[in-house]
Amino acid sequence: MDTIEPLPRRPPTHPNVRRSPYFSETERVGAVEYMVYNHMYMPIVYDRDPAEDYRALTDAVTLWDVAAERQTELRGPDALRLADFLCTRDLSGLETGLCRYTLVCDPDGAIMTEPIVLRPWPDVVWISHGDVDLTLWARAIAEHGGYEATVTEPDVAPLQVQGPKSPDVLSAVCADAGELARFGCAVTRVAGVDAVVSRTGWSRGMGFEIYPLSSDRATDLWQALEQAGAPHGMLVTGPNLSRAVEQGITDTHYAVNSDMDPFEAGSGAFVDLDAGPFVGRDALRRAAAAPARRHTLGLVAEDALPRMETFWPVTDETGDAGVVRWAAHSYALGSDIGIALLDARIGTGATVTIEHDAGTTAARVVDVPFVD
């Protein structure tokens, strides 16, 4: 009988998509599924019950490879002024050592990304953004707007340490971690590696983002964090969708924005219409003055939902009612839930029907966040 050679454990990844410097580390600890994000592979599923990931995030501490969360660096005398023009919030008073959540919109007011803006040095701003080619966009605006600022993508591969025990982990390897207030950042050293650390992350709980200032020692940093986290039950996971949806956290970016403006997304508080000019301000002023057409609400499904791989239509007794943009199982509620962009006629307490690949499921409309 002929000998059959075993198949490779994993087929080669596409050469046009970059690997994180932590890629081999995530494979070592059991990553089994990656998504392409900002032209990079980001691990999102590990070889275990996802309930373990959720418990680690809510009760202990987790380590995430989020190197695909790229930075658009603005450097020079006009760095902050350029960031203020790109973003919907007034950033003119953002001090060195602080961060701010904001949105970036196109000239029509549609959301391009929901980034965190960091000002680690007086003449440098980082826009830590989602899945959109923001560096190209910012560079074009800087060139044609006459800004005295250089726009680049630096060699920065972020990690996140999230969970209630994250301060214990960071304090073991970073002297400045305990001094950071929420939405603060510091230029420091983590396990001997030069980095920026911020009290931010894709979690409303306690957590940090770590931005090593080069990929050369990224693996050393990863391994040091694993060692520091071991006594605290650290688990390497991906960004936790279940917890994010429970708390109403989304990641709207240009490819999946449903032509949605910040008011429809429930993010109108992050639009400073009376501040200086910014991209999309005129369109957003018109949107703010017009009757709302759509709004973002939560759905609690009556039965189990399948895995979401595309947007799901929502209907009610009068017809089309909107679209489900995010869905996950809520361990806190014991139900499948979703975040939907719905017609303005649909309010909380209504019952709607979700149409998906496995059929249909009734759902109750609620406010978000689902869980405080």
Side-chain angles (χ1 to χ4, degrees):
M1 183 175 182
D2 293 338
T3 301
I4 300 176
E5 294 294 327
L7 292 174
R9 185 166 63 89
R10 186 183 300 277
T13 49
H14 199 280
N16 290 341
V17 181
R18 294 176 292 170
R19 296 187 185 196
S20 154
Y22 317 111
F23 189 89
S24 61
E25 299 297 319
T26 62
E27 285 200 309
R28 174 178 58 81
V29 294
V32 294
E33 185 172 331
Y34 296 77
M35 70 180 295
V36 176
Y37 193 89
N38 273 327
H39 312 292
M40 294 185 68
Y41 292 104
M42 183 164 67
I44 57 171
V45 176
Y46 285 76
D47 188 18
R48 67 175 79 94
D49 184 342
E52 294 182 42
D53 295 13
Y54 182 90
R55 285 193 296 268
L57 175 60
T58 55
D59 299 336
V61 61
T62 56
L63 174 62
W64 308 354
D65 170 8
V66 289
E69 178 189 310
R70 303 308 302 161
Q71 314 308 303
T72 292
E73 179 181 282
L74 317 177
R75 182 182 292 266
D78 287 342
L80 188 61
R81 189 167 71 89
L82 175 57
D84 193 38
F85 184 69
L86 290 166
C87 300
T88 61
R89 290 188 74 177
D90 182 4
L91 301 180
S92 60
L94 183 66
E95 298 178 4
T96 303
L98 293 181
C99 316
R100 193 163 293 169
Y101 168 82
T102 183
L103 300 105
V104 173
C105 292
D106 69 10
D108 297 323
I111 298 171
M112 293 176 65
T113 184
E114 304 174 75
I116 296 291
V117 175
L118 303 89
R119 194 180 184 192
W121 298 276
D123 63 340
V124 175
V125 173
W126 286 349
I127 304 178
S128 187
H129 62 84
D131 191 11
V132 65
D133 289 322
L134 190 68
T135 298
L136 297 176
W137 173 255
R139 184 168 184 175
I141 290 174
E143 292 283 344
H144 291 277
Y147 290 90
E148 193 175 347
T150 302
V151 181
T152 61
E153 180 187 314
D155 178 21
V156 174
L159 295 164
Q160 290 196 29
V161 178
Q162 298 288 324
K165 297 182 181 179
S166 57
D168 300 318
V169 176
L170 259 292
S171 296
V173 291
C174 178
D176 298 317
E179 300 176 5
L180 281 176
R182 182 138 174 86
F183 286 97
C185 67
V187 182
T188 183
R189 290 173 69 82
V190 182
V193 177
D194 292 330
V196 172
V197 176
S198 64
R199 267 281 313 277
T200 56
W202 208 56
S203 162
R204 292 196 193 279
M206 175 63 73
F208 299 84
E209 292 184 89
I210 305 166
Y211 305 81
L213 298 183
S214 131
S215 294
D216 292 343
R217 297 191 60 201
T219 300
D220 295 339
L221 175 60
W222 175 280
Q223 293 174 354
L225 288 168
E226 276 194 299
Q227 292 173 8
H232 306 286
M234 174 183 275
L235 192 65
V236 176
T237 75
N240 196 279
L241 181 63
S242 295
R243 189 60 173 164
V245 174
E246 285 179 351
Q247 297 182 322
I249 300 172
T250 60
D251 177 20
T252 303
H253 48 83
Y254 211 44
V256 293
N257 64 5
S258 302
D259 293 321
M260 181 171 57
D261 66 45
F263 306 107
E264 295 173 322
S267 299
F270 304 108
V271 179
D272 294 329
L273 291 174
D274 296 326
F278 60 85
V279 178
R281 185 178 68 170
D282 291 344
L284 292 174
R285 280 179 168 169
R286 293 191 295 271
R293 297 184 303 113
R294 305 180 296 180
H295 55 175
T296 295
L297 291 169
L299 301 179
V300 177
E302 292 186 0
D303 299 300
L305 294 169
R307 173 172 170 153
M308 189 176 199
E309 296 184 346
T310 186
F311 289 166
W312 293 332
V314 178
T315 59
D316 67 358
E317 65 277 2
T318 64
D320 292 342
V323 61
V324 181
R325 302 182 64 256
W326 296 86
H329 180 72
S330 168
Y331 293 97
L333 301 180
S335 301
D336 287 356
I337 59 175
I339 297 175
L341 181 62
L342 299 176
D343 190 279
R345 74 175 186 273
I346 308 295
T348 57
T351 298
V352 297
T353 299
I354 303 171
E355 300 180 358
H356 47 71
D357 293 342
T360 61
T361 301
R364 177 170 48 91
V365 181
V366 299
D367 285 322
V368 289
F370 299 85
V371 177
D372 290 334

